[in-house]
């Protein structure tokens, strides 16, 4: 019988969300995504220690930030030996509000990939979906550097990313779900509020419909899943990036997966255009407590893990 994972692949491009590239081959994803937290988790495993030590040893005289860039790219290069498509590599979250430094960091990462023989078409530069991150993406896209806009929690962010012609966005399903569940407290009813009614699922469906209705080519990749149910509810989305534990569950399941999203149906959804100027973006984001809180929290957490990576590397130099 066909597995749930194989069924999902009929409708959606499956992407692995991990820095643990040794797990990738069994699931045969098209692409892979990484972030500082995933890389930090991976390098603390014994089987990745040699890659960490070699990267530090080969570039010990360089600044710690440069060594981290090379470590991220080293993981990306190994991942691209396994997946046939693209890898996403993230710009330091501490640059989320600095347009020029984000652009410079993206240039550095792409240059390292190209020096390793990787074509830039196989690399997606991940940027936080702040106003400044979107502006950096706009410049990079014009230069032929494709961007994956992360930490995205609202339609306002998605519209700004599409207007900037970002290649791809990663709306965070699970973190949206977490926020609403926590705020509902005892009033949360999983049977009523989960599944198709899951607020994270609903957010991605709304963004997908907006893009298809108004003809934006930016790809929608649902991310940050908590359950296989959330994944199944978005079957048909352009891409879905899924953690290894959920990929394993889908691989072991024979539950039927039906297509839930398609461009033709999405284009008929009644939805109004959203202004994409800076004042509107900032107001709409500020007006959305969930998006405001989760964006700020996400930047803090990724930045904290970047610091932990620095602390892990410094004694090895």
């Amino acid at each position: 019988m066909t597995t749930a994972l194989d069924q999902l692949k009929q409708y959606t491009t499956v992407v692995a969300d991990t820095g643990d590239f040794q797990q990738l081959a069994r699931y045969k994803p098209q692409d892979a995504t990484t972030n500082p937290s995933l890389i930090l988790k991976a390098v603390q495993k014994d089987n990745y220690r040699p890659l960490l030590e070699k990267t530090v040893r080969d570039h010990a005289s360089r600044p710690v930030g440069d060594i981290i860039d090379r470590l991220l790219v080293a993981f990306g290069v190994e991942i691209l030996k396994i997946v046939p498509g693209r890898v996403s590599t993230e710009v330091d979250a501490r640059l989320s509000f600095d347009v020029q430094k984000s652009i410079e960091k993206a240039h550095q990462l792409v240059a390292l990939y190209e020096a390793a023989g990787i074509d830039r078409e196989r690399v997606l530069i991940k940027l936080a979906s702040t106003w400044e991150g979107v502006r950096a993406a706009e410049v990079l896209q014009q230069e032929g550097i494709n961007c994956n806009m992360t930490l995205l929690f609202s339609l306002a962010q998605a519209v700004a990313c599409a207007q900037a012609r970002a290649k791809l966005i990663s709306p965070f399903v699970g973190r949206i779900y977490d926020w609403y569940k926590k705020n509902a407290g005892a009033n949360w009813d999983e049977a009523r509020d989960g599944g198709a009614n899951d607020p994270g699922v609903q957010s991605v469906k709304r963004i997908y419909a907006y893009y298809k209705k108004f003809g934006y080519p930016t790809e929608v990749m649902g991310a940050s899943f908590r359950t296989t149910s959330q994944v199944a509810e978005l079957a048909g989305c352009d891409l879905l990036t899924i953690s290894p534990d959920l990929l394993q569950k889908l691989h072991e399941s024979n539950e039927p997966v039906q297509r839930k999203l398609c461009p033709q149906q999405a284009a008929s959804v009644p939805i109004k255009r959203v202004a994409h100027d800076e004042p509107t973006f900032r107001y709409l984001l500020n007006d959305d407590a969930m998006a405001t809180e989760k964006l700020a929290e996400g930047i803090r957490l990724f930045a904290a893990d970047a610091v932990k990576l620095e602390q892990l590397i410094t004694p090895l130099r």
Side-chain angles (χ1 to χ4, degrees):
M1 187 176 292
T2 306
T3 70
L5 181 58
D6 286 336
Q7 294 175 66
L8 179 65
K9 288 179 179 179
Q10 296 175 24
Y11 312 123
T12 291
T13 297
V14 170
V15 179
D17 192 24
T18 183
D20 189 349
F21 53 81
Q22 294 176 5
Q23 296 189 55
L24 291 178
R26 75 184 74 169
Y27 305 118
K28 297 180 172 62
Q30 175 67 23
D31 298 346
T33 55
T34 66
N35 62 45
S37 302
L38 293 174
I39 299 298
L40 176 65
K41 183 178 179 181
V43 296
Q44 294 180 82
K45 295 182 178 181
D46 290 341
N47 46 337
Y48 292 111
R49 188 76 179 183
L51 182 59
L52 169 64
E53 292 176 345
K54 182 180 186 307
T55 303
V56 175
R57 184 173 61 250
D58 290 350
H59 307 286
S61 63
R62 295 182 177 273
V64 175
D66 187 59
I67 295 174
I68 289 178
D69 289 345
R70 292 170 185 274
L71 181 64
L72 298 179
V73 171
F75 269 86
V77 169
E78 292 301 319
I79 287 169
L80 289 173
K81 293 177 182 178
I82 300 167
V83 303
R86 307 167 295 188
V87 68
S88 292
T89 298
E90 192 151 343
V91 166
D92 191 326
R94 290 170 290 185
L95 303 179
S96 296
F97 303 102
D98 191 318
V99 177
Q100 189 55 41
K101 288 187 178 179
S102 291
I103 292 170
E104 291 170 2
K105 181 64 71 174
H107 288 163
Q108 293 165 10
L109 292 170
V110 169
L112 289 172
Y113 272 112
E114 291 181 334
I118 303 298
D119 191 280
R120 65 175 58 187
E121 286 297 318
R122 298 194 69 197
V123 178
L124 289 165
I125 296 297
K126 288 180 79 174
L127 296 158
S129 299
T130 57
W131 181 258
E132 293 79 8
V134 173
R135 298 282 66 79
E138 186 173 36
V139 173
L140 293 167
Q141 288 290 160
Q142 291 171 357
E143 297 175 347
I145 296 174
N146 289 325
C147 299
N148 172 357
M149 306 307 293
T150 189
L151 294 175
L152 194 148
F153 304 97
S154 70
L155 181 59
Q157 289 173 289
V159 171
C161 292
Q163 287 293 142
R165 300 186 180 278
K167 180 68 174 178
L168 185 150
I169 63 167
S170 296
F172 276 26
V173 177
R175 297 195 194 189
I176 295 174
Y177 167 88
D178 293 344
W179 190 91
Y180 280 99
K181 184 175 181 178
K182 179 181 179 181
N183 277 266
N187 292 323
W188 181 267
D189 182 338
E190 189 65 32
R192 180 194 65 207
D193 302 322
N197 296 321
D198 182 312
V201 169
Q202 287 294 314
S203 178
V204 176
K205 287 183 174 180
R206 185 164 56 252
I207 291 167
Y208 180 88
Y210 190 96
Y211 278 17
K212 303 312 176 189
K213 186 177 184 69
F214 296 115
Y216 290 110
T218 298
E219 300 166 13
V220 181
M221 180 171 71
S224 171
F225 292 102
R226 301 291 180 256
T227 66
T228 55
S229 171
Q230 290 175 331
V231 174
E233 287 294 337
L234 291 174
C237 193
D238 299 328
L239 309 94
L240 298 174
T241 183
I242 308 167
S243 64
D245 61 324
L246 293 183
L247 285 171
Q248 182 65 28
K249 289 179 180 179
L250 290 165
H251 179 69
E252 294 172 348
S253 172
N254 297 122
E255 290 292 318
V257 176
Q258 298 178 338
R259 184 165 197 158
K260 299 297 179 74
L261 297 178
C262 72
Q264 295 78 14
Q265 290 179 347
S268 66
V269 173
I271 190 168
K272 294 181 179 179
R273 279 194 179 274
V274 176
H276 58 271
D277 56 274
E278 182 177 358
T280 302
F281 174 91
R282 294 196 184 279
Y283 177 78
L284 291 177
L285 187 59
N286 182 76
D287 199 43
D288 186 334
M290 176 278 296
T292 299
E293 292 175 24
K294 298 307 287 186
L295 174 59
E297 177 189 69
I299 291 171
R300 287 195 302 270
L301 291 174
F302 283 160
D305 283 339
V307 171
K308 290 176 184 176
L309 264 177
E310 291 176 348
Q311 293 170 342
L312 193 65
I313 288 170
T314 299
L316 299 177
R317 298 172 67 198

